[in-house]
Amino acid sequence: MALATTADPALGLLELDSVAIGVLTGDAMVKASPVSAIYSGTVHPGHYLLAVTGDTASVEIALETGRATAGNVVIDEVFLPAVAAAVAAAIVTDSQAATADGEAVGIIECTGVAAAIDAADAAVKAADVQIATLRLADGLGGKGYVMLGGVLAETEAAVEAGLSRLDPGRVLHSVVIAQLAPEMRADLAADLRFRRVVRTGSA
């Protein structure tokens, strides 16, 4: 079952800087805990992600085992006992565009995948906003960011909540734009990759 459609309440993710240790760690995690599912693989720039879903206790045990196995190759992690459905859906989408509905747009740019997922979850739980996009690692040199849309007050609250969830060292930049220009909104909705949008002239 895909992550976006799973009924499992908890999500845990480890971000590692070794593929070999990543496979070893994933094996140890599923042997130690009856998680419902594991999703693993590489992302830029040569990192390895391990995501597990299941009940809260099982995910906690898997993460504990993963940390112990991976040791100092763990870059970051996130544990969400009740992951927001919008976040689960945003993780698995293959869309390369951002549909930023609402008068305001908020962006939280993070050091990596785990931090961006963490910020997105906090944001959508704290305020009435939509995830316009959640970009993770590939094409970003390993960084991650979440873009949110909504009315100004809700967007400000969402960004504040996302930032409060993260240690400052996991945050690169954050902005709230009160009235995104129509031209910028159309460009984001066309494609988020510069060379693609220039080549196709699809803005």
Side-chain angles (χ1 to χ4, degrees):
M1 182 177 290
L3 176 60
T5 58
T6 181
D8 297 324
L11 167 71
L13 182 140
L14 293 177
E15 189 171 354
L16 311 181
D17 68 0
S18 167
V19 175
I21 302 301
V23 176
L24 175 71
T25 300
D27 181 68
M29 290 167 72
V30 296
K31 285 176 177 175
S33 179
V35 294
S36 296
I38 184 167
Y39 310 90
S40 65
T42 57
V43 294
H44 292 167
H47 293 173
Y48 199 81
L49 300 183
L50 291 159
V52 291
T53 62
D55 63 81
T56 302
S58 295
V59 172
E60 284 185 303
I61 293 169
L63 288 177
E64 182 180 352
T65 301
R67 287 187 215 102
T69 304
N72 62 7
V73 305
V74 176
I75 299 169
D76 200 359
E77 67 176 271
V78 60
F79 171 55
L80 302 174
V83 60
V87 173
I91 291 172
V92 301
T93 183
D94 58 1
S95 173
Q96 297 292 336
T99 304
D101 295 327
E103 63 176 343
V105 169
I107 305 169
I108 305 172
E109 186 177 357
C110 303
T111 54
V113 171
I117 292 172
D118 212 358
D121 185 73
V124 298
K125 287 176 178 175
D128 184 14
V129 292
Q130 296 77 46
I131 296 177
T133 189
L134 178 60
R135 295 291 308 281
L136 303 173
D138 288 337
L140 297 170
K143 298 190 297 183
Y145 71 86
V146 60
M147 185 182 299
L148 308 157
V151 300
L152 179 58
E154 295 290 333
T155 304
E156 289 175 331
V159 169
E160 182 179 349
L163 294 175
S164 69
R165 177 80 70 85
L166 304 179
D167 293 331
R170 300 170 80 198
V171 179
L172 295 172
H173 304 282
S174 66
V175 297
V176 174
I177 304 169
Q179 293 287 345
L180 188 67
E183 297 87 350
M184 194 70 215
R185 191 181 299 275
D187 195 63
L188 294 173
D191 204 300
L192 294 166
R193 297 163 298 179
F194 178 77
R195 294 181 67 185
R196 172 75 177 174
V197 75
V198 170
R199 184 168 66 248
T200 61
S202 55

